[in-house]
Amino acid sequence: MQLHLDLKKLTMCKIEKLVRPNILNLLPYSSARDEFNGKEGIFLDANENPYGNLNRYPDPYQIELKTKLAQLKQTPLETIFIGNGSDEIIDLAFRIFCEPGKDKALTFSPTYGMYDVSAAINNVELLKIPLNDSFQIDLQKIIPFFMDASIKLLFICSPNNPTGNTIDSKAIEFILHNFKGIVIVDEAYIDFSKDASLLGLITTYTNLIISQTFSKAWGLAAARVGMAYANETIVSFYNKVKPPYNVSELNQKAALNALNNQNIFDENRSAILAEKQILKTELLKLNVVRNVYPSDANFLLVELENANEVYTYLVEQQVVVRNRTTQVKNCIRISVGTSEENQKLVTALKNRV
Ligand SMILES: *Cc1c(COP(=O)(O)O)cnc(C)c1O
């Protein structure tokens, strides 16, 4: 018991050492709902309008939504943070851990563009190590960076956007074990993957944040709801720094509604995965297509003879895909649509002269 307590204290110290001093000392905004959060009462404390349906401020800690997620993910409520999309989770990580103009972050390229943008907004240098030819992490290349104490954050996107593959979990564990900073594993596409989430590892590695989202498999990109799973200390810093009412009542309701209709989630996911296979087969029949990379996500990375030409042609046909040729030469990224949408894409490509 004593040992357990000491270990916990040690962990607390470790995380706190990584936190920016101004955030450690920050006195967070105390909202009216922080002081009293009972459901029953006469609420004359927050200058709200007494009339209407959306007149009250939402629950700042999204307890109903987190309770449901805690059940689904088998993790304590205290290990969950809800953000205004994963984008907020990424941005808050920079703000909690990286001193602008001084600390650094690291990721593996090609990957999701928001790490770059968020780093730049926060005036933090983002180092990039290229993934190998199989789009996996080259461990030899990362070892020298373990010595650099100014690297506070490390992003691993798995399944990776835009390459579509899941990153080898043994490589991720090697990094978690050896890297002294915070590791964010962005699992935006994990529900489409044959591989399991690494969520269970947050109890083993106190420097791990798992980021997921309602935007992809849950079909709620418009609602802007992302979630981070991490140990309680990290979550408490996220709560300290976030805007008090960062997730609107409408968005919390939308996410809860999705969780209460798991059958729709399952049906849509199965349909998307089946359509992905059909689309891949159809694409591989076309002369213009050189390669379709394996995908654990709801998109395909497709190598063409000339990505720029095909991209421009498709836009003219009112079919919009993502040109990724600057990241992976001559590649476009195609999101899996409905059967009709995918067929229109394939037909457009077939009709190209
Ligand atoms: C789409 C995507 C997200 C989702 O971001 P939200 O802000 O939650 O919509 C996160 N990470 C990656 C890698 C993505 O491709």
Side-chain angles (χ1 to χ4, degrees):
M1 190 61 199
Q2 194 55 47
L3 178 73
H4 179 73
L5 279 177
D6 284 345
L7 269 177
K8 186 146 190 188
K9 219 160 107 191
L10 202 72
T11 309
M12 292 273 289
C13 292
K14 237 174 97 186
I15 299 285
E16 283 168 8
K17 267 190 195 146
L18 292 169
V19 172
R20 289 167 64 196
N22 65 312
I23 302 298
L24 263 184
N25 299 328
L26 174 76
L27 198 64
Y29 178 76
S30 171
S31 72
R33 291 295 175 274
D34 279 325
E35 287 158 22
F36 180 88
N37 53 26
K39 282 216 162 190
E40 302 297 320
I42 296 168
F43 294 105
L44 305 174
D45 58 339
N47 297 345
E48 294 154 334
N49 188 315
Y51 308 112
N53 301 317
L54 288 168
N55 55 323
R56 300 290 175 190
Y57 281 104
D59 175 2
Y61 300 108
Q62 310 95 20
I63 298 302
E64 209 183 338
L65 177 55
K66 283 181 186 170
T67 304
K68 198 85 199 169
L69 275 174
Q71 277 172 9
L72 181 71
K73 303 287 177 178
Q74 297 289 301
T75 189
L77 198 136
E78 295 75 19
T79 64
I80 308 175
F81 174 79
I82 307 288
N84 187 5
S86 330
D87 291 346
E88 185 177 39
I89 284 159
I90 295 165
D91 179 65
L92 288 179
F94 280 104
R95 295 211 265 159
I96 295 166
F97 298 107
C98 296
E99 203 59 50
K102 188 170 152 234
D103 290 332
K104 296 177 199 143
L106 189 150
T107 194
F108 302 93
S109 57
T111 194
Y112 186 40
M114 270 312 285
Y115 312 141
D116 245 332
V117 175
S118 214
I121 290 170
N122 288 286
N123 192 20
V124 171
E125 186 186 350
L126 181 67
L127 307 168
K128 285 175 212 159
I129 302 178
L131 293 167
N132 69 18
D133 289 345
S134 321
F135 300 132
Q136 290 292 333
I137 294 172
D138 184 341
L139 290 179
Q140 291 307 320
K141 283 202 184 131
I142 185 173
I143 288 168
F145 292 92
F146 291 149
M147 320 294 174
D148 187 346
S150 71
I151 305 173
K152 296 288 168 65
L153 277 185
L154 191 154
F155 291 94
I156 302 171
C157 188
S158 179
N160 188 37
N161 177 3
T163 60
N165 59 298
T166 307
I167 304 295
D168 178 19
S169 64
K170 287 283 164 285
I172 297 177
E173 280 212 63
F174 177 82
I175 290 169
L176 282 166
H177 208 80
N178 291 287
F179 178 62
K180 301 287 183 292
I182 301 289
V183 177
I184 299 191
V185 179
D186 185 339
E187 293 189 336
Y189 300 97
I190 195 66
D191 293 311
F192 297 110
S193 178
K194 59 191 182 319
D195 292 343
S197 165
L198 299 185
L199 176 61
L201 293 181
I202 62 169
T203 49
T204 313
Y205 300 101
T206 51
N207 59 338
L208 173 61
I209 299 173
I210 298 285
S211 162
Q212 296 182 1
T213 180
F214 278 90
S215 295
K216 306 289 157 62
W218 289 101
L220 285 179
R224 314 304 307 127
V225 185
M227 47 282 204
Y229 302 95
N231 74 76
E232 286 177 38
T233 309
I234 291 181
V235 170
S236 70
F237 283 110
Y238 263 92
N239 283 331
K240 203 175 175 186
V241 173
K242 82 183 183 82
Y245 304 109
N246 63 326
V247 185
S248 84
E249 179 74 17
L250 292 170
N251 300 358
Q252 291 184 44
K253 286 255 165 68
L256 255 174
N257 186 51
L259 290 175
N260 287 329
N261 291 282
Q262 180 88 35
N263 56 323
I264 296 177
F265 170 90
D266 292 334
E267 279 167 29
N268 289 348
R269 180 178 56 175
S270 304
I272 291 164
L273 290 176
E275 287 301 330
K276 180 170 75 169
Q277 274 323 111
I278 296 169
L279 178 59
K280 181 169 181 165
T281 308
E282 290 296 311
L283 288 170
L284 283 169
K285 287 182 195 162
L286 304 174
N287 283 334
V288 66
V289 172
R290 281 197 182 152
N291 185 21
V292 179
Y293 284 96
S295 166
D296 293 314
N298 65 333
F299 59 81
L300 293 170
L301 186 71
V302 181
E303 191 190 342
L304 306 164
E305 272 157 34
N306 189 325
N308 287 334
E309 277 176 18
V310 174
Y311 173 76
T312 309
Y313 163 79
L314 286 174
V315 170
E316 284 163 6
Q317 306 299 307
Q318 293 182 308
V319 179
V320 187
V321 297
R322 195 90 154 114
N323 188 352
R324 297 283 82 180
T325 190
T326 53
Q327 292 192 301
V328 190
K329 195 162 170 38
N330 276 325
C331 282
I332 58 171
R333 193 193 68 197
I334 303 173
S335 310
V336 179
T338 63
S339 174
E340 292 76 23
E341 289 169 333
N342 302 335
Q343 201 48 58
K344 281 196 175 138
L345 164 83
V346 172
T347 305
L349 287 172
K350 269 186 193 154
N351 292 343
R352 183 169 166 264
V353 281

